[in-house]
Amino acid sequence: MWAASCLASCCAACACEACRSVVGGISRRSARIAYCGLFALSLIVSWILREVAAPLMEKLPWINHFHRTPDREWFETDAVLRVSLGNFLFFTILALLMAGIKDQKDPRDRLHHGGWMAKIVCWCVLVILMFFVPNGLVSFYETISKFGSGLFLLVQVVLLLDFVHGWNDSWVSNDEQFWYMALFIVSLVCYVAAFSFTGLLFHWFTPSGHDCGLNTFFIVLTLILVFVFAVVALHPKVNGSLLPASVISLYCTYLCYSGLSSEPRDYECNGLHGHSKAVSTGSLTLGLLTTVLSVVYSAVRAGSSTTLLSPPSSPRASSERPLLPFDKVEQQEDRKKDEAKPVSYSYSFFHLIFSLASMYSAMLLTGWSTSVGESGKLVDVGWPSVWVRIVTGWATAALYIWSLIAPILFPDREF
């Protein structure tokens, strides 16, 4: 027994030391990926608790204080919302603490990049504490999460615009026929996919014999926007390209599908009700995947001075050495050590993206807090989800068109 306890103590000590070594090895460059890993961990915890925590939560008197015990679905939703609330508070507190950081000599810069053991402990404590807060607070968070999710989708749009414009500029800068042909082929594939997808939308969501005017309006408007994107991008006065227009067209078509597929399963114009479980699982997986990709992309792009995360005064990561004698170079390097080096991106906005992503992932996992019906497994279904996706598609169109015409309307300003 004594030997077993010693062995267990040694194993625990080794595990703690290993964790401390891993956490201590997180550098300034890898800190952003570490935040993504913490966010991914929150998604895994939410998913697991949604499946297994309901029986335990039914026994907690401060949660199950109802005269009649709610369905299992209610406890599954509540578990996801409480984990999301803890994650949201963690990143929101960091966003507030990091507000106004301009240089790396600020003590808060070290807090952003270091102290990972303390951060992980604080994250765990916050998530656990959320299971002791009253139901009313969780219900309030559920309500504001619907609006926060819409904001996150808009952030996704900005990140997508940043990505496609960077992609287009990268290939065009090569100034070779091969890359121009690649641009044309990718654009053509995106347009073929968008138009084919639109045909499927008419087949799935406007069944014959039913009055589906609303669905028809959504699909036709999306199709019109696809043509508008191409016309505006190819206008002689607009410095546009078919690649961003085609990618945005495909994304808007996907948002239209995502919205229509989220219509209630008993809605007569939802032609996917016969495959509801497969569709809902696929929508959840794709939604979570795009969420993770968005936060990872924001983390990776945070080091670039061209991205929305970077303040205007942010310098490039590399700089040329001045052509000076050796002694003057040493003096200048000493002076640079004493000077404050500006931060390369906005720490506060970086954490705000994770806060909004926490809300959006909670809405995905809980089906926007809509009834899951008989199977108890349907997610991301209901009219709130429909309108959030559709309006986000319209906002995407507005932002893209604005990015094209703004330089013409305001030539003296930089965009």
Side-chain angles (χ1 to χ4, degrees):
M1 182 65 69
W2 178 81
S5 62
C6 286
L7 181 60
S9 300
C10 290
C11 291
C14 291
C16 291
E17 186 63 29
C19 292
R20 190 180 297 110
S21 300
V22 172
V23 170
I26 298 177
S27 63
R28 293 182 64 89
R29 292 180 179 272
S30 59
R32 291 171 292 185
I33 303 302
Y35 283 115
C36 295
L38 189 59
F39 177 77
L41 176 63
S42 71
L43 294 182
I44 295 173
V45 172
S46 298
W47 196 311
I48 293 175
L49 290 183
R50 192 188 70 165
E51 301 298 326
V52 304
L56 177 61
M57 294 180 65
E58 290 179 5
K59 301 176 182 178
L60 300 178
W62 59 88
I63 294 179
N64 187 13
H65 55 75
F66 307 99
H67 295 293
R68 181 180 179 182
T69 300
D71 297 335
R72 179 186 176 89
E73 169 209 342
W74 187 91
F75 293 100
E76 294 173 348
T77 299
D78 194 66
V80 173
L81 289 172
R82 288 175 185 271
V83 175
S84 173
L85 177 56
N87 206 44
F88 168 78
L89 289 177
F90 176 79
F91 284 109
T92 301
I93 292 172
L94 284 177
L96 294 175
L97 290 176
M98 302 301 162
I101 296 181
K102 297 181 179 180
D103 57 73
Q104 295 181 8
K105 281 196 172 183
D106 193 311
R108 294 174 295 172
D109 180 80
R110 296 182 61 185
L111 175 62
H112 175 71
H113 294 98
W116 280 99
M117 184 62 73
K119 287 178 185 176
I120 293 175
V121 171
C122 290
W123 179 83
C124 293
V125 169
L126 277 174
V127 171
I128 294 173
L129 285 178
M130 292 308 102
F131 284 86
F132 295 91
V133 300
N135 293 334
L137 181 59
V138 179
S139 178
F140 174 74
Y141 173 72
E142 172 190 344
T143 301
I144 64 174
S145 289
K146 292 182 174 65
F147 299 97
S149 299
L151 290 177
F152 176 73
L153 286 174
L154 291 179
V155 172
Q156 271 191 339
V157 171
V158 177
L159 294 175
L160 178 63
L161 288 173
D162 179 71
F163 169 73
V164 295
H165 283 301
W167 181 8
N168 181 79
D169 294 343
S170 176
W171 283 12
V172 170
S173 63
N174 293 319
D175 197 19
E176 296 179 3
Q177 185 177 4
F178 171 80
W179 294 107
Y180 289 122
M181 286 298 299
L183 281 172
F184 174 76
I185 293 174
V186 173
S187 302
L188 181 63
V189 169
C190 288
Y191 273 122
V192 170
F195 288 127
S196 302
F197 210 177
T198 302
L200 291 176
L201 294 183
F202 278 111
H203 175 69
W204 288 336
F205 301 106
T206 58
S208 58
H210 299 285
D211 183 13
C212 303
L214 183 61
N215 287 3
T216 303
F217 170 73
F218 289 155
I219 300 172
V220 171
L221 182 58
T222 302
L223 191 60
I224 292 174
L225 289 174
V226 169
F227 283 103
V228 170
F229 295 158
V231 172
V232 174
L234 295 177
H235 195 276
K237 292 185 178 181
V238 176
N239 186 22
S241 173
L242 274 182
L243 178 62
S246 62
V247 174
I248 296 298
S249 299
L250 184 58
Y251 181 69
C252 287
T253 307
Y254 160 73
L255 285 177
C256 183
Y257 158 76
S258 182
L260 294 176
S261 64
S262 298
E263 291 176 337
R265 301 306 173 192
D266 56 354
Y267 184 49
E268 60 185 8
C269 295
N270 186 350
L272 296 179
H273 58 80
H275 309 281
S276 54
K277 184 174 182 179
V279 170
S280 61
T281 303
S283 299
L284 171 63
T285 304
L286 189 58
L288 291 179
L289 179 61
T290 56
T291 302
V292 172
L293 289 177
S294 295
V295 296
V296 170
Y297 180 73
S298 68
V300 173
R301 287 289 286 168
S304 170
S305 62
T306 61
T307 184
L308 78 162
L309 291 173
S310 303
S313 59
S314 170
R316 289 283 185 180
S318 60
S319 59
E320 297 181 358
R321 282 191 173 186
L323 299 177
L324 296 174
F326 184 75
D327 57 342
K328 292 186 177 181
V329 171
E330 287 184 342
Q331 293 176 5
Q332 185 166 352
E333 288 180 350
D334 292 339
R335 193 180 303 114
K336 284 184 178 180
K337 290 180 181 179
D338 296 332
E339 293 177 355
K341 185 178 180 181
V343 297
S344 59
Y345 61 98
S346 171
Y347 298 162
S348 184
F349 187 75
F350 175 80
H351 290 294
L352 182 61
I353 290 179
F354 285 89
S355 298
L356 296 177
S358 300
M359 290 182 166
Y360 180 65
S361 59
M363 290 297 98
L364 285 177
L365 287 167
T366 62
W368 299 76
S369 303
T370 306
S371 175
V372 296
E374 312 88 287
S375 68
K377 294 297 178 184
L378 298 183
V379 294
D380 200 19
V381 179
W383 288 110
S385 177
V386 173
W387 282 105
V388 168
R389 306 297 177 82
I390 295 297
V391 172
T392 301
W394 297 343
T396 302
L399 285 173
Y400 176 65
I401 294 175
W402 173 254
S403 70
L404 294 176
I405 66 175
I408 300 176
L409 299 177
F410 306 98
D412 297 332
R413 299 183 181 180
E414 294 184 0
F415 294 91

Short mmCIF file of all heavy atoms in Angstrom, two decimals, residues 311-343:
data_model
loop_
_atom_site.label_atom_id
_atom_site.label_comp_id
_atom_site.label_asym_id
_atom_site.label_seq_id
_atom_site.Cartn_x
_atom_site.Cartn_y
_atom_site.Cartn_z
N PRO A 311 -3.37 47.60 -35.13
CA PRO A 311 -3.54 49.04 -35.11
C PRO A 311 -2.75 49.69 -36.22
O PRO A 311 -1.78 49.12 -36.71
CB PRO A 311 -3.00 49.45 -33.73
CG PRO A 311 -2.06 48.36 -33.36
CD PRO A 311 -2.61 47.11 -33.97
N PRO A 312 -3.16 50.90 -36.68
CA PRO A 312 -2.46 51.55 -37.79
C PRO A 312 -0.99 51.78 -37.52
O PRO A 312 -0.19 51.80 -38.44
CB PRO A 312 -3.22 52.88 -37.93
CG PRO A 312 -4.57 52.63 -37.34
CD PRO A 312 -4.33 51.66 -36.22
N SER A 313 -0.61 52.00 -36.27
CA SER A 313 0.78 52.28 -35.94
C SER A 313 1.62 51.02 -35.81
O SER A 313 2.81 51.08 -35.49
CB SER A 313 0.86 53.05 -34.62
OG SER A 313 0.28 52.30 -33.57
N SER A 314 1.02 49.86 -36.06
CA SER A 314 1.74 48.60 -35.89
C SER A 314 2.84 48.46 -36.93
O SER A 314 2.61 48.64 -38.12
CB SER A 314 0.76 47.43 -36.02
OG SER A 314 1.44 46.23 -36.10
N PRO A 315 4.06 48.10 -36.52
CA PRO A 315 5.15 47.93 -37.48
C PRO A 315 5.16 46.53 -38.06
O PRO A 315 4.55 45.61 -37.54
CB PRO A 315 6.40 48.14 -36.60
CG PRO A 315 5.98 47.61 -35.27
CD PRO A 315 4.50 47.91 -35.13
N ARG A 316 5.88 46.37 -39.13
CA ARG A 316 6.10 45.02 -39.67
C ARG A 316 6.99 44.23 -38.73
O ARG A 316 7.75 44.79 -37.94
CB ARG A 316 6.78 45.12 -41.04
CG ARG A 316 5.87 45.67 -42.12
CD ARG A 316 4.90 44.62 -42.59
NE ARG A 316 4.09 45.09 -43.69
CZ ARG A 316 3.16 44.38 -44.28
NH1 ARG A 316 2.91 43.17 -43.86
NH2 ARG A 316 2.46 44.85 -45.26
N ALA A 317 6.88 42.93 -38.83
CA ALA A 317 7.67 42.10 -37.92
C ALA A 317 9.16 42.23 -38.18
O ALA A 317 9.97 42.19 -37.26
CB ALA A 317 7.25 40.63 -38.05
N SER A 318 9.56 42.41 -39.43
CA SER A 318 10.98 42.51 -39.77
C SER A 318 11.31 43.92 -40.23
O SER A 318 10.48 44.60 -40.80
CB SER A 318 11.33 41.53 -40.88
OG SER A 318 10.57 41.80 -42.04
N SER A 319 12.52 44.34 -40.00
CA SER A 319 12.98 45.65 -40.43
C SER A 319 14.43 45.56 -40.83
O SER A 319 15.19 44.75 -40.29
CB SER A 319 12.81 46.68 -39.30
OG SER A 319 13.54 46.28 -38.18
N GLU A 320 14.82 46.41 -41.77
CA GLU A 320 16.19 46.38 -42.25
C GLU A 320 17.11 47.11 -41.29
O GLU A 320 16.74 48.12 -40.71
CB GLU A 320 16.26 47.03 -43.64
CG GLU A 320 15.44 46.26 -44.69
CD GLU A 320 15.56 46.93 -46.05
OE1 GLU A 320 16.23 47.98 -46.11
OE2 GLU A 320 15.00 46.41 -47.01
N ARG A 321 18.34 46.63 -41.20
CA ARG A 321 19.33 47.30 -40.37
C ARG A 321 19.88 48.51 -41.11
O ARG A 321 20.12 48.45 -42.32
CB ARG A 321 20.49 46.35 -40.04
CG ARG A 321 20.16 45.36 -38.95
CD ARG A 321 21.43 44.66 -38.51
NE ARG A 321 21.19 43.82 -37.36
CZ ARG A 321 22.15 43.18 -36.72
NH1 ARG A 321 23.41 43.30 -37.12
NH2 ARG A 321 21.88 42.43 -35.68
N PRO A 322 20.14 49.63 -40.45
CA PRO A 322 20.69 50.79 -41.11
C PRO A 322 22.14 50.56 -41.50
O PRO A 322 22.88 49.85 -40.81
CB PRO A 322 20.57 51.89 -40.04
CG PRO A 322 20.56 51.14 -38.75
CD PRO A 322 19.88 49.84 -39.03
N LEU A 323 22.52 51.14 -42.62
CA LEU A 323 23.91 51.00 -43.09
C LEU A 323 24.79 52.00 -42.37
O LEU A 323 25.13 53.07 -42.88
CB LEU A 323 23.96 51.21 -44.62
CG LEU A 323 23.13 50.23 -45.44
CD1 LEU A 323 23.19 50.59 -46.91
CD2 LEU A 323 23.63 48.81 -45.21
N LEU A 324 25.19 51.67 -41.14
CA LEU A 324 26.01 52.53 -40.30
C LEU A 324 27.24 51.77 -39.84
O LEU A 324 27.26 50.53 -39.87
CB LEU A 324 25.21 53.01 -39.08
CG LEU A 324 23.98 53.90 -39.35
CD1 LEU A 324 23.25 54.14 -38.05
CD2 LEU A 324 24.39 55.21 -39.99
N PRO A 325 28.27 52.49 -39.40
CA PRO A 325 29.43 51.81 -38.83
C PRO A 325 29.01 50.93 -37.65
O PRO A 325 27.97 51.14 -37.03
CB PRO A 325 30.34 52.96 -38.39
CG PRO A 325 29.94 54.09 -39.27
CD PRO A 325 28.48 53.93 -39.52
N PHE A 326 29.89 49.95 -37.31
CA PHE A 326 29.56 48.95 -36.30
C PHE A 326 29.24 49.57 -34.95
O PHE A 326 28.28 49.17 -34.28
CB PHE A 326 30.73 47.97 -36.18
CG PHE A 326 30.44 46.85 -35.22
CD1 PHE A 326 29.60 45.81 -35.60
CD2 PHE A 326 31.01 46.83 -33.96
CE1 PHE A 326 29.33 44.77 -34.72
CE2 PHE A 326 30.74 45.78 -33.09
CZ PHE A 326 29.90 44.76 -33.47
N ASP A 327 30.04 50.58 -34.53
CA ASP A 327 29.80 51.17 -33.22
C ASP A 327 28.47 51.91 -33.17
O ASP A 327 27.78 51.89 -32.17
CB ASP A 327 30.95 52.11 -32.84
CG ASP A 327 31.15 53.19 -33.89
OD1 ASP A 327 30.65 53.00 -35.02
OD2 ASP A 327 31.80 54.21 -33.56
N LYS A 328 28.10 52.53 -34.29
CA LYS A 328 26.82 53.23 -34.31
C LYS A 328 25.66 52.24 -34.33
O LYS A 328 24.59 52.51 -33.79
CB LYS A 328 26.74 54.15 -35.53
CG LYS A 328 27.70 55.33 -35.45
CD LYS A 328 27.48 56.28 -36.60
CE LYS A 328 28.40 57.49 -36.49
NZ LYS A 328 28.18 58.45 -37.59
N VAL A 329 25.90 51.10 -34.96
CA VAL A 329 24.85 50.08 -34.95
C VAL A 329 24.61 49.59 -33.52
O VAL A 329 23.47 49.42 -33.09
CB VAL A 329 25.24 48.90 -35.87
CG1 VAL A 329 24.27 47.74 -35.68
CG2 VAL A 329 25.26 49.34 -37.32
N GLU A 330 25.69 49.39 -32.77
CA GLU A 330 25.54 48.96 -31.37
C GLU A 330 24.81 50.01 -30.56
O GLU A 330 23.94 49.69 -29.74
CB GLU A 330 26.92 48.69 -30.77
CG GLU A 330 27.57 47.42 -31.28
CD GLU A 330 28.89 47.15 -30.57
OE1 GLU A 330 29.43 48.11 -29.96
OE2 GLU A 330 29.36 46.01 -30.61
N GLN A 331 25.15 51.29 -30.79
CA GLN A 331 24.47 52.36 -30.04
C GLN A 331 22.98 52.37 -30.39
O GLN A 331 22.14 52.54 -29.51
CB GLN A 331 25.10 53.70 -30.38
CG GLN A 331 26.54 53.85 -29.88
CD GLN A 331 27.16 55.17 -30.32
OE1 GLN A 331 26.48 56.01 -30.92
NE2 GLN A 331 28.44 55.34 -30.03
N GLN A 332 22.68 52.17 -31.67
CA GLN A 332 21.27 52.20 -32.06
C GLN A 332 20.52 51.01 -31.49
O GLN A 332 19.37 51.12 -31.07
CB GLN A 332 21.15 52.21 -33.58
CG GLN A 332 19.69 52.37 -34.06
CD GLN A 332 19.62 52.72 -35.52
OE1 GLN A 332 20.64 52.98 -36.14
NE2 GLN A 332 18.42 52.74 -36.07
N GLU A 333 21.19 49.83 -31.46
CA GLU A 333 20.53 48.66 -30.88
C GLU A 333 20.29 48.84 -29.39
O GLU A 333 19.26 48.43 -28.86
CB GLU A 333 21.38 47.42 -31.13
CG GLU A 333 21.37 46.96 -32.59
CD GLU A 333 22.23 45.74 -32.80
OE1 GLU A 333 22.97 45.38 -31.86
OE2 GLU A 333 22.18 45.15 -33.90
N ASP A 334 21.23 49.48 -28.68
CA ASP A 334 21.02 49.75 -27.26
C ASP A 334 19.86 50.71 -27.08
O ASP A 334 19.07 50.58 -26.14
CB ASP A 334 22.30 50.35 -26.66
CG ASP A 334 23.43 49.32 -26.60
OD1 ASP A 334 23.11 48.12 -26.64
OD2 ASP A 334 24.60 49.74 -26.54
N ARG A 335 19.78 51.69 -27.99
CA ARG A 335 18.69 52.65 -27.89
C ARG A 335 17.35 51.97 -28.14
O ARG A 335 16.35 52.27 -27.51
CB ARG A 335 18.92 53.78 -28.89
CG ARG A 335 18.02 55.00 -28.64
CD ARG A 335 18.28 56.11 -29.66
NE ARG A 335 19.68 56.51 -29.64
CZ ARG A 335 20.52 56.32 -30.66
NH1 ARG A 335 20.09 55.73 -31.77
NH2 ARG A 335 21.77 56.73 -30.58
N LYS A 336 17.35 51.02 -29.09
CA LYS A 336 16.10 50.31 -29.39
C LYS A 336 15.64 49.46 -28.21
O LYS A 336 14.46 49.27 -27.97
CB LYS A 336 16.29 49.42 -30.62
CG LYS A 336 16.30 50.20 -31.93
CD LYS A 336 16.40 49.24 -33.11
CE LYS A 336 16.36 49.99 -34.42
NZ LYS A 336 16.47 49.07 -35.58
N LYS A 337 16.62 48.92 -27.45
CA LYS A 337 16.25 48.12 -26.29
C LYS A 337 15.55 48.97 -25.25
O LYS A 337 14.68 48.51 -24.52
CB LYS A 337 17.50 47.47 -25.70
CG LYS A 337 18.08 46.37 -26.58
CD LYS A 337 19.32 45.76 -25.94
CE LYS A 337 19.92 44.68 -26.83
NZ LYS A 337 21.15 44.10 -26.22
N ASP A 338 15.99 50.25 -25.15
CA ASP A 338 15.39 51.14 -24.16
C ASP A 338 14.05 51.67 -24.63
O ASP A 338 13.18 51.99 -23.83
CB ASP A 338 16.34 52.31 -23.87
CG ASP A 338 17.64 51.84 -23.23
OD1 ASP A 338 17.60 50.79 -22.56
OD2 ASP A 338 18.67 52.51 -23.43
N GLU A 339 13.87 51.78 -25.96
CA GLU A 339 12.62 52.30 -26.48
C GLU A 339 11.52 51.24 -26.40
O GLU A 339 11.78 50.04 -26.47
CB GLU A 339 12.80 52.75 -27.92
CG GLU A 339 13.71 53.96 -28.07
CD GLU A 339 13.93 54.32 -29.53
OE1 GLU A 339 13.43 53.55 -30.39
OE2 GLU A 339 14.59 55.33 -29.80
N ALA A 340 10.29 51.71 -26.30
CA ALA A 340 9.15 50.80 -26.24
C ALA A 340 8.79 50.35 -27.65
O ALA A 340 8.60 51.18 -28.55
CB ALA A 340 7.97 51.50 -25.59
N LYS A 341 8.70 49.04 -27.84
CA LYS A 341 8.34 48.49 -29.14
C LYS A 341 6.83 48.36 -29.23
O LYS A 341 6.20 47.71 -28.39
CB LYS A 341 9.00 47.13 -29.31
CG LYS A 341 8.78 46.53 -30.70
CD LYS A 341 9.49 45.19 -30.82
CE LYS A 341 9.27 44.60 -32.20
NZ LYS A 341 9.94 43.28 -32.34
N PRO A 342 6.19 48.95 -30.27
CA PRO A 342 4.72 48.88 -30.37
C PRO A 342 4.25 47.44 -30.55
O PRO A 342 4.97 46.60 -31.11
CB PRO A 342 4.42 49.73 -31.61
CG PRO A 342 5.62 50.57 -31.82
CD PRO A 342 6.78 49.76 -31.33
N VAL A 343 3.05 47.17 -30.07
CA VAL A 343 2.45 45.85 -30.26
C VAL A 343 2.03 45.71 -31.72
O VAL A 343 1.75 46.70 -32.40
CB VAL A 343 1.25 45.63 -29.32
CG1 VAL A 343 1.70 45.67 -27.88
CG2 VAL A 343 0.17 46.67 -29.58
#
